[in-house]
Structure formats: C-alpha cells, structure tokens
Amino acid sequence: MYVGRFVVVGPGIGAYRVSSRSFPDRRIVEREGALTVAPTPDAPETDNPYIAYNCLRTVEGEAVVGNGSHVDPIAEKRATGYPARDALALSLLALDFERDDYDTPRIAGVVAEDEAHVATVRRDALLVERVDEPTLVATYERNAPAAFPLDADTADEAARAVYDADFEHAVCAAGVTVGDGIDTAVVNE
C-alpha cells in the first residue's frame, strides 16, 4: 500500500519517512541543527517547492517532525511558548494543505519526553490530537491519526522501523528520541 510521507509520534519517540513515487532522488541531511530533506546530487532539476524542507527540528527539549515547510513555524511557535496543540493548529491552518495535483495533506507531530501531539491538515479537515502511544498519520490512505506499532527504543531503531514499515516506495527516514537529551538518526538507502 502506498501511503506517501508519514510521521509516527508518541511520548519520547518520533519518526518521519519520505515515501515517493514521483521524486525518489532525495535524502535526509543534517544542516544547521535540523534534519533536512534534500535532493540527492544526481536528482533531476525541479522547481517543485515541496521537494526540500526541514523534516525535524528540535526546540527546548522537544522535537517537531513533519512533511514540509510548516515544521519551521511550528518549532518557532513552540520556542516562544505556544502550547503544542496551538503551535500545530495555527501553523497548519495558516499554510493549509499543499497546493499540488493531489491536494497533499500536511502532517506533523511534536514529541516531548512525557507527551506527544500529532496533526494533519487536509482539504476537508484540520485534526490535532494529543497521543499516549505511537500514532501514525500519512499523506494518503491513512490521513487520520491512528495507533501504530512502533517497536523502537532509540532514534536509530525508530528511523529503521519506519523505513522498513510495510508501505511502498521508501526513500529515507529520520528518528528521534526525547528524554535526558535528544537523539536523532537518519536512514538513507
């Protein structure tokens, strides 16, 4: 099944995976304190604004994950004291779903040590939920938050688990754990 890009978040752990049929020539790189989805050196030129973006940012003991440019304003709002629910809702509502051929939803999550929030904005809804267990939301097919069996304790395991998840067209993945510190990991294959 093809679900597109997706996030999985739960208290203390999160992950993001790029799945793509149209633009598979991407990788996740560390850049200026963020994990960034970027074209590979041999990727064809494109003017598509949805190809490169920060997919994971950390701020004051938390991590924000997501599938596009909305990750930055969510992190900025958290840094200024907005509650996670409000930072997600305001940023997603302001940017709305992607204006591409598929009206692709924007998806995001905020991971703290003891709590997590997941959100999506799509053509017909804005959903923001506080979650107590790993929860997935994807751009297609599974575009409403639902429990997901994330069998991982480390950032490396989280990234590997979502990369290897039984969904089509894996490109790259990132994982994060939030506890005594914040650890991140990347899978590019």
Side-chain angles (χ1 to χ4, degrees):
M1 172 190 307
Y2 180 67
V3 299
R5 296 166 283 165
F6 64 90
V7 298
V8 177
V9 298
I13 197 160
Y16 173 68
R17 183 175 111 175
V18 176
S19 305
S20 181
R21 295 182 285 215
S22 305
F23 298 99
D25 297 327
R26 290 185 278 176
R27 62 187 173 163
I28 297 174
V29 296
E30 188 168 350
R31 190 177 72 183
E32 298 175 20
L35 296 182
T36 303
V37 175
T40 60
D42 58 339
E45 291 286 323
T46 181
D47 60 356
N48 186 319
Y50 304 117
I51 298 302
Y53 51 89
N54 289 332
C55 68
L56 191 150
R57 293 239 340 243
T58 60
V59 58
E60 299 178 20
E62 294 183 345
V64 176
V65 295
N67 72 321
S69 60
H70 54 282
V71 168
D72 294 328
I74 294 167
E76 291 160 9
K77 287 187 182 331
R78 289 298 295 137
T80 62
Y82 279 76
R85 180 191 68 121
D86 296 352
L88 287 160
L90 289 168
S91 299
L92 291 174
L93 189 59
L95 290 168
D96 213 358
F97 59 90
E98 294 178 1
R99 303 298 186 193
D100 60 7
D101 293 340
Y102 308 102
D103 293 339
T104 301
R106 290 181 190 266
I107 55 175
V110 175
V111 178
E113 182 175 7
D114 297 322
E115 68 179 34
H117 290 76
V118 66
T120 183
V121 63
R122 36 183 226 232
R123 178 177 275 289
D124 66 338
L126 170 64
L127 306 171
V128 181
E129 294 182 15
R130 182 177 172 162
V131 298
D132 297 321
E133 63 183 332
T135 301
L136 176 142
V137 66
T139 55
Y140 309 116
E141 299 298 323
R142 297 200 175 174
N143 63 8
F148 182 81
L150 182 62
D151 186 22
D153 294 315
T154 67
D156 287 322
E157 291 171 350
R160 175 54 62 188
V162 298
Y163 185 87
D164 291 340
D166 195 22
F167 300 120
E168 297 173 351
H169 303 288
V171 173
C172 51
V176 62
T177 53
V178 177
D180 291 334
I182 297 177
D183 292 315
T184 62
V186 171
V187 174
N188 288 314
E189 293 189 3

